[in-house]
């Protein structure tokens, strides 16, 4: 995307419901953002304190884990066998004291072929862009990514933050566009989408329609466009947004799934012939704690397998 196209996109980008430069876009969204969510969080915090789990939730929120996954892909180009992808999402940098250091420690020293991030870097939509970028740099400096680092945006990430991310030379921000990576003579195509949870889907679907040979990976903040990506021939869809529930009942059963596609709310899933992975995310929002839902960074390794009729 050239500068003129980026400026046009930034000028037209929607604000989240409930925000129009200080005024609610419509009263229900404003009521939910300004009153219901804070009240809900206070009730949860009080309940956790009453059952003696308040402090434990903070400890769990700082226990960022690397979640390894070998992903068998029928028909995968043998030259892509073993391709490693580090996937981070929902960092919400600065929201949880100690959170930046915990994420940095989890990824420090990792050597991968690709590093991708799928949005929500800011602790709130109005957070200073420079502070968010300054917190992100030391995290990604600890990762040795052979083919670079690619980012997309989430619903907490403003156009102002997008501009600051775009200006940083250590990574590449993809806004409804495609990047092509050569790996061992094979081609990997990364399609990075704007936030599919809040933004108009027209430009996002146009980006998904961009074709080309190679293994096609879609980077999106939320699972909402999984069906469109699968219909467009994508091979892998990586997203976050849901936090896996963040506050879960025992055995990781989420109280809130925070997506219109609850069947795709967490972990590995299939949409037609396409694989998808919804990470629990590395940070927290709403409340500075997690329960029965540890934060993660996903380390996905592609594996070539034979089709069922040839096994």
């Amino acid at each position: 995307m050239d500068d003129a196209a980026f400026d046009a996109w930034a000028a037209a980008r929607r604000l989240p419901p409930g925000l129009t430069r200080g005024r609610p876009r419509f009263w229900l969204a404003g009521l939910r953002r300004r009153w219901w969510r804070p009240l809900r969080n206070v009730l949860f915090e009080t309940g956790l304190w009453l059952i003696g789990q308040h402090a434990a939730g903070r400890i769990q929120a700082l226990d960022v884990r690397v979640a390894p996954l070998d992903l068998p892909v029928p028909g995968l180009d043998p030259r892509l066998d073993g391709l490693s992808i580090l996937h981070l999402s929902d960092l919400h940098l600065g929201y949880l004291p100690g959170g930046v250091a915990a994420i940095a420690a989890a990824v420090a020293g990792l050597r991968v072929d690709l590093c991708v991030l799928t949005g929500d870097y800011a602790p709130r939509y109005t957070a200073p862009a420079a502070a968010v970028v300054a917190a992100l740099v030391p995290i990604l400096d600890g990762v040795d990514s052979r083919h670079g680092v690619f980012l997309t945006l989430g619903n907490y990430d403003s156009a102002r933050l997008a501009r600051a991310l775009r200006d940083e030379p250590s990574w590449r921000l993809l806004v409804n566009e495609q990047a092509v990576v050569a790996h061992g003579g094979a081609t990997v195509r990364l399609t990075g989408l704007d936030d599919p949870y809040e933004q108009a889907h027209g430009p996002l679907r146009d980006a998904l329609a961009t074709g080309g040979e190679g293994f096609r990976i879609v980077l999106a903040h939320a699972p909402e466009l999984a069906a469109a990506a699968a219909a467009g021939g994508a091979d892998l869809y990586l997203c976050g947004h849901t936090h896996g529930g963040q506050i879960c009942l025992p055995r990781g059963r989420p109280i809130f799934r925070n997506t219109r596609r609850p069947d795709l709310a967490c972990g590995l899933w299939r949409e037609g012939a396409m694989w998808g992975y919804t990470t629990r995310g590395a940070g927290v929002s709403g409340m500075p704690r997690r329960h029965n839902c540890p934060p993660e960074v996903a380390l996905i390794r592609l594996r070539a397998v034979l089709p069922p009729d040839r096994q």
Side-chain angles (χ1 to χ4, degrees), residues 104-308:
V107 301
L110 289 179
R111 301 182 65 183
V112 296
D113 295 311
L114 282 169
C115 179
V116 300
L117 294 88
T118 54
D120 273 11
Y121 314 104
R124 60 188 183 281
Y125 193 83
T126 56
V132 176
V133 173
L136 185 57
V137 167
I139 293 173
L140 296 181
D141 278 351
V143 179
D144 182 359
S145 180
R146 178 180 177 184
H147 299 305
V149 178
F150 299 87
L151 289 72
T152 56
L153 300 172
N155 58 298
Y156 272 65
D157 304 323
S158 65
R160 183 178 301 171
L161 176 56
R163 191 176 299 279
L165 292 170
R166 189 170 183 265
D167 290 342
E168 171 58 46
S170 300
W171 51 66
R172 179 178 173 185
L173 177 67
L174 298 176
V175 181
N176 301 332
E177 57 190 317
Q178 188 178 96
V180 180
V181 171
H183 178 82
T187 299
V188 177
R189 295 183 179 272
L190 301 168
T191 300
L193 304 180
D194 195 0
D195 168 43
Y197 193 73
E198 305 285 13
Q199 302 306 313
H201 281 190
L204 284 66
R205 292 181 186 275
D206 291 343
L208 288 174
T210 304
E213 297 296 324
F215 188 81
R216 297 179 59 187
I217 303 175
V218 172
L219 307 177
H221 181 58
E224 264 56 39
L225 284 177
D235 299 292
L236 177 62
Y237 188 104
L238 299 177
C239 62
H241 180 64
T242 67
H243 294 212
Q246 186 171 316
I247 306 296
C248 294
L249 299 173
R251 299 182 181 177
R253 292 172 292 176
I255 299 172
F256 298 104
R257 289 182 171 83
N258 202 26
T259 176
R260 302 184 188 100
R261 291 293 309 269
D263 54 321
L264 313 181
C266 188
L268 186 64
W269 43 266
R270 292 277 275 185
E271 181 78 13
M274 180 185 75
W275 278 114
Y277 190 83
T278 306
T279 177
R280 295 192 297 268
V284 294
S285 67
M287 290 180 284
R289 62 198 77 256
R290 281 178 177 262
H291 288 274
N292 301 308
C293 185
E296 70 172 14
V297 293
L299 181 55
I300 298 168
R301 196 175 302 274
L302 304 184
R303 293 298 184 190
V305 296
L306 292 173

Side-chain angles (χ1 to χ4, degrees), residues 34-120:
R34 295 169 184 266
W35 297 101
W36 164 240
R37 289 180 184 175
L39 176 60
R40 181 190 66 183
N41 293 342
V42 167
L43 292 175
F44 266 101
E45 293 267 16
T46 302
L48 293 170
W49 180 79
L50 289 173
I51 64 175
Q53 291 296 309
H54 200 262
R58 186 182 182 87
I59 294 171
Q60 289 187 39
L62 293 171
D63 184 19
V64 184
R65 306 175 182 182
V66 176
L69 172 66
D70 279 353
L71 185 62
V73 181
L76 181 70
D77 188 324
R79 294 172 295 183
L80 295 178
D81 184 52
L83 180 81
S84 55
I85 306 167
L86 182 65
H87 175 209
L88 297 87
S89 192
D90 302 280
L91 278 64
H92 295 285
L93 300 167
Y95 186 85
L96 174 67
V100 173
I103 298 169
V107 301
L110 289 179
R111 301 182 65 183
V112 296
D113 295 311
L114 282 169
C115 179
V116 300
L117 294 88
T118 54
D120 273 11

